Amino acid sequence: MPSPTIRRLDVASPVPADIDIANSVEPLPIADIAAELGLRPEHYDLYGKYKAKVLLSVLDELKAQQDGYYVVVGGITPTPLGEGKSTTTVGLCQALGAFLDKKVVTCLRQPSQGPTFGIKGGAAGGGYSQVIPMDEFNLHLTGDIHAITAANNLLAAAIDTRIFHENSQSDKGLFNRLCPANKEGKKHFADVMLRRLTKLGISKTDPNELTPDEIRRFARLDIDPESITWRRVMDVNDRFLRKITIGQGPEEKGMLRETGFDISVASEIMAVLALTTSLADMRERLGRMVIGNSKSGEPITADDLGVGGALTVLMKDAIHPTLMQTLEGTPVLVHAGPFANIAHGNSSIVADKIALKLVGKGGFVVTEAGFGADIGTEKFMDIKCRYSGLVPQCAIIVATIRALKMHGGGPEVVAGKPLDHAYVSENVALVEAGCVNLAKHISNTRSYGVNVVVAINKFASDTEAEMNAVRYAAMAAGAFDAVVCTHHAHGGKGAVELGLAVQRACESQAEPLKFLYPLESSIKEKIESIAKFYGASGVEYSEQAEKQIEMYTKQGFSNLPICMAKTQYSFSHVPSMKGAPTGFVLPIRDVRASIGAGFIYPLVGTMSTMPGLPTRPCFYEIDVDTATGKVMGLS
């Protein structure tokens, strides 16, 4: 029997604008959605009528509960318009919950305001498969990205401030200011300082007992400005902040330094949030984030700077996933951020774990991985599943006729420009040629030992012959099933066949999860395993990349997984190389480390960690109806 929170949609044709559909449906009070999931009021904190933070304490209470089925949604290599991966994720869950009477939770990432106002638009789904309230989902939500921005920039300020004070004070003066005497004339170490003392091998806890050499080692981080990898962030696409010069004020005494801004969701703190398993674990991860090295080559951490505890305080509410709902009343947990091309790009471990317990045996958790399966699904398997210990029973690959035609040699697809005639008229040969991209994604994903279901996201101009060509190619490539979906136009009803295919795939899954590489391999061996996975014949390292790999290996970080920062528009590093290119040499421009999050991330080619705005950004369409207060123009 369907849940009392399930609602039936009255769909219109042609499909109205996303924001108009979202505004036409009155969300249920989030307390009703929570109650239907089995959550009591003490399990969550309300953020208005339609959002709530689900507390991590739920995990302890439900630890004996058996997990449900775990499904990850990836895609083929997309066009700049996106192929409806979030829409498919939502539509599938609406089908499972509203039409197939399954207990289901959707796990999505929180959108960045950069692309919401930039080129891509929001990430709440689309058409009749959306998360609502759509405007709240795409904008501030419950403030998690703002918390990440504040924490990231506090750490950035601490770095430059520490260099400034060390440059202008003696060892004794610096130590006295770090450990000032209280009103009784006694000095003491802050708790975070004890972590640094332990790292230095100093067991003393009384500041008065330190020798001059111990005082110097404790007080002087001696940060090498050239080694600093920590940058400031903001949640806006602003290309002019990619490289900046700081320290130009007269009070900074000539301490000029080149640095720059990344987009907030590329911050290591976002990756920490996505990969953490508890508040205590998050505190440790934040504290051990490495911001650069001392002049003697020792890694300098957030805890060395004394700021790990403060970062955790800024993030203590962000650790809890946000509960929302779909248009058809099925529950959604929103947590962590996007950008699998420059970050880890998956929703959080804690959201998935809570969801798996809430749905229980026979239920379904559908979680989304960013961009194409070469990026998002690979990082889901090789990074997220390593840290979570969770094993998916099914992987979905979302495909569109449009993207397959592009990979078959169709004209360039440009956001904001009308599609070429080739994309809106039947051309089976072009589709068949482009299916090499789909086949490569299927082969790659199957190598993890998981059943693959292809979801063909149907557009109005797609023909039966074109869709049959995709189904045939998918099955020939080893897919468990391939299903045509119309969830954008019909909501969950349009993804019922996909839901049934996913259920069969989960029930028949028997193989253990196979990782792409062992952690014991060297950094280069792991990079080269991923490059081969893409289709590369080899890897070329810049002088800077070689230097960084050598340093991270020497510092003991070589046993971490790899998080490639690579274009999402090709298996290769060149966006224009479509289909399934082979024989290319993958250039590694630089290698950085997210030690707190727990991975090494190579920068491939010219990949930027701060997107730019197009000539006509999405913000031209966004406004507010001043009579009703409703947001207009979000997509």
Side-chain angles (χ1 to χ4, degrees), residues 23-90:
N23 284 339
S24 72
V25 176
E26 182 66 26
L28 290 163
I30 202 63
D32 292 356
I33 303 292
E36 191 59 27
L37 262 180
L39 294 167
R40 299 190 300 274
E42 63 267 27
H43 292 148
Y44 57 86
D45 290 333
L46 291 172
Y47 278 65
K49 296 179 185 177
Y50 308 124
K51 305 188 297 292
K53 283 281 196 180
V54 179
L55 305 179
L56 265 56
S57 56
V58 171
L59 274 176
D60 294 328
E61 192 168 318
L62 297 178
K63 61 185 175 185
Q65 170 89 300
Q66 190 170 335
D67 287 352
Y69 291 121
Y70 194 32
V71 180
V72 60
V73 180
I76 63 171
T77 305
T79 70
L81 306 178
E83 308 318 305
K85 188 156 44 58
S86 299
T87 307
T88 302
T89 303
V90 175

Side-chain angles (χ1 to χ4, degrees), residues 178-179 188-198 218 303 306:
L178 288 169
C179 299
H188 77 282
F189 290 118
D191 287 346
V192 71
M193 291 176 171
L194 299 176
R195 294 171 179 253
R196 173 153 178 81
L197 290 167
T198 300
F218 167 79
D303 271 346

Side-chain angles (χ1 to χ4, degrees), residues 70 107 347-356 365 367 384 390:
Y70 194 32
C107 287
S347 61
S348 76
I349 286 173
V350 293
D352 289 1
K353 284 193 168 186
I354 289 171
L356 286 164
V365 171
T367 191
K384 184 176 178 181
L390 300 174

Side-chain angles (χ1 to χ4, degrees), residues 207-282:
N208 296 306
E209 293 180 0
L210 266 60
T211 67
D213 179 64
E214 289 170 338
I215 286 173
R216 180 191 58 77
R217 291 172 59 214
F218 167 79
R220 290 209 176 275
L221 302 183
D222 202 25
I223 298 169
D224 178 3
E226 295 295 318
S227 75
I228 296 172
T229 55
W230 197 265
R231 291 153 59 93
R232 288 158 174 83
V233 300
M234 64 188 307
D235 197 30
V236 173
N237 291 0
D238 193 343
R239 67 177 73 241
F240 289 96
L241 292 178
R242 289 173 180 168
K243 182 178 280 191
I244 62 170
T245 302
I246 60 172
Q248 298 193 62
E251 294 82 7
E252 280 64 64
K253 303 176 183 176
M255 276 185 54
L256 294 177
R257 183 169 74 83
E258 271 195 2
T259 181
F261 276 75
D262 295 331
I263 195 159
S264 294
V265 290
S267 170
E268 182 177 353
I269 297 176
M270 175 63 85
V272 167
L273 179 67
L275 294 170
T276 195
T277 54
S278 67
L279 184 61
D281 178 61
M282 185 170 74

Side-chain angles (χ1 to χ4, degrees), residues 140-180:
H140 305 286
L141 199 60
T142 48
D144 292 357
I145 292 179
H146 300 324
I148 288 163
T149 303
N152 184 101
N153 293 340
L154 175 62
L155 179 51
I159 295 165
D160 291 300
T161 297
R162 186 58 173 264
I163 296 171
F164 171 80
H165 287 303
E166 286 190 23
N167 283 351
S168 58
Q169 296 179 54
S170 66
D171 293 348
K172 184 178 180 181
L174 190 61
F175 183 69
N176 286 339
R177 286 176 175 84
L178 288 169
C179 299

